[in-house]
Amino acid sequence: MKAKRWDKFATGVLYTIAAFLVLILAFLLIYILVRGLPHISWEFLTQPAKAYQEGGGIGIQLFNSFYLLLITMLISFPISLGSGIYLSEYAKKNWVTDVIRTSVEILSSLPSVVVGLFGFLLFVVQFQYGFSIISGALALTFFNLPLLTRNIEESLNTIHHTQREAGLALGLSRWETVLHVVLPAATPGILSGVIISSGRIFGEAAALIYTAGQSAPALDFTNWNPLSVSSPIGLFRQAETLAVHIWKINSEGTMPDGPAVSAGASAVLILAVLLFNFSARAVGKKLYKKITSA
C-alpha cells in the first residue's frame, strides 16, 4: 500500500509539472497571437518594410525566411541522410565511430552565436561571399547537420532487424534493403527530424545576423538571374529574415510603429512555424501510408 501511495504521488507530481509547462507554452503563444494578430493584413504580409515611417510590412523578410530555409535544407538534408545511413547501417562499432558520434553531440550543443561567428569568419570573410543567402545557408547547415544526422540515425535504428533480414532473404542487396525497406519504414521519424530542424532554422536569428546580413534589398520578381542582388532567387544578396527583422526593430528603434510591426511579425513567425509543422505531419502520414501500403 505504501508503494502504491508513492506511485500515485509521483504520478501526480509528473502530471502537475507537465500541466505547468503546457500552461506556460499556451500563455506565451496566446500572448504573442493576441498582440500580433490585429496588426496582420494582406498589405502587412506583402509590402516591404519602412525604416523611418509608419505602414511598413514584412513581405521581403517573409520571403527571405522561406527561401533561406529551402536552400539550407537542400544542402543539409542529403548530407545528413547519407551520414545517418552510414552511421546506422554501415559503420562498425569502434573508437572512430564513437569519436564521430561524440563530435555530433558536441556540435549539436553549440550556441547559434558561435555558429554565426564561425560562418562570418569562414564564408563572409575567408571565402568572400559577403553577407548573403549562401553564407547564411552554409552557416545554418553546420547548425543543422548534427541534430538532423542524429535524428535520422535514431529513426533508422528503431526499425527492427527482422525487416532487414527479410529484405536480404528476398535477394535484395544491402543497399537495396536500406533504400526500399528501411528508409520507407523510417520515413515518419525522419520527417519529424526535418520538421524540428526546419523550425529551428526558420526562427533562427543570431547566426544569420553575422552571415545573411541585416538588410533586405528591394526584389525584382521578374529578374531570375541567381547572381543578381535584386533577384528573388539570388544567392549572393543580403537577406534579412523575419526573426532578424524582429530583433532589428526592437534594437534600433527606427520605426515609429515598431512595437506594432514587431508584434505582427512575431505572430506571423509563430503561425508559420505551427502551419509548417502541422502540414508536414499530415504529409508525412500520407506519405508513410502510400509507401508502406498501411
Side-chain angles (χ1 to χ4, degrees):
M1 295 300 296
K2 185 178 180 180
K4 290 184 178 180
R5 286 196 296 268
W6 276 108
D7 179 70
K8 291 181 179 179
F9 175 76
T11 303
V13 170
L14 293 176
Y15 274 115
T16 303
I17 294 174
F20 180 70
L21 293 176
V22 170
L23 287 175
I24 292 177
L25 179 61
F27 172 77
L28 291 175
L29 290 176
I30 293 173
Y31 178 76
I32 293 173
L33 294 177
V34 168
R35 290 185 67 246
L37 287 177
H39 305 290
I40 298 177
S41 63
W42 178 250
E43 291 74 18
F44 181 75
L45 296 175
T46 56
Q47 296 299 316
K50 297 180 181 179
Y52 297 98
Q53 51 184 317
E54 297 181 355
I58 58 170
I60 296 178
Q61 288 80 7
L62 188 60
F63 174 81
N64 288 338
S65 297
F66 281 106
Y67 185 53
L68 187 61
L69 171 62
L70 175 63
I71 299 300
T72 303
M73 294 307 298
L74 287 176
I75 298 173
S76 61
F77 180 72
I79 300 174
S80 299
L81 183 61
S83 302
I85 292 175
Y86 169 75
L87 290 173
S88 174
E89 305 296 328
Y90 293 96
K92 297 180 179 179
K93 292 184 179 180
N94 51 37
W95 69 270
V96 176
T97 55
D98 290 339
V99 170
I100 293 174
R101 289 189 174 91
T102 302
S103 301
V104 169
E105 294 292 342
I106 294 173
L107 288 174
S108 64
S109 63
L110 283 178
S112 57
V113 174
V114 175
V115 178
L117 291 174
F118 167 78
F120 171 77
L121 294 174
L122 184 61
F123 304 118
V124 177
V125 178
Q126 189 66 31
F127 290 173
Q128 297 182 356
Y129 292 156
F131 293 106
S132 60
I133 284 183
I134 191 64
S135 296
L138 290 173
L140 287 180
T141 296
F142 283 90
F143 180 71
N144 189 39
L145 277 177
L147 175 65
L148 196 53
T149 299
R150 186 63 174 167
N151 177 268
I152 292 175
E153 181 189 1
E154 292 178 352
S155 299
L156 295 174
N157 287 336
T158 59
I159 306 305
H160 201 268
H161 65 87
T162 54
Q163 297 198 37
R164 296 173 176 84
E165 294 173 356
L168 295 173
L170 291 173
L172 299 178
S173 65
R174 190 172 185 180
W175 167 245
E176 290 174 331
T177 301
V178 172
L179 184 63
H180 298 292
V181 178
V182 180
L183 275 179
T187 297
I190 294 174
L191 280 177
S192 297
V194 171
I195 292 167
I196 294 172
S197 60
S198 298
R200 292 180 66 188
I201 293 171
F202 193 85
E204 180 55 42
L208 296 177
I209 292 173
Y210 302 103
T211 53
Q214 304 177 37
S215 64
L219 299 180
D220 180 9
F221 285 89
T222 62
N223 181 7
W224 296 100
N225 180 10
L227 300 179
S228 175
V229 295
S230 62
S231 173
I233 63 171
L235 297 177
F236 295 94
R237 62 176 177 85
Q238 291 198 45
E240 180 188 45
T241 61
L242 193 57
V244 174
H245 187 57
I246 296 171
W247 170 84
K248 186 177 179 181
I249 292 172
N250 290 281
S251 61
E252 294 185 353
T254 58
M255 291 185 179
D257 57 345
V261 175
S262 176
S266 300
V268 171
L269 183 63
I270 293 295
L271 290 174
V273 173
L274 292 175
L275 180 62
F276 181 79
N277 276 266
F278 291 140
S279 300
R281 290 182 184 277
V283 172
K285 290 180 180 179
K286 290 184 179 180
L287 181 62
Y288 177 73
K289 291 181 179 180
K290 182 177 180 180
I291 293 176
T292 61
S293 299

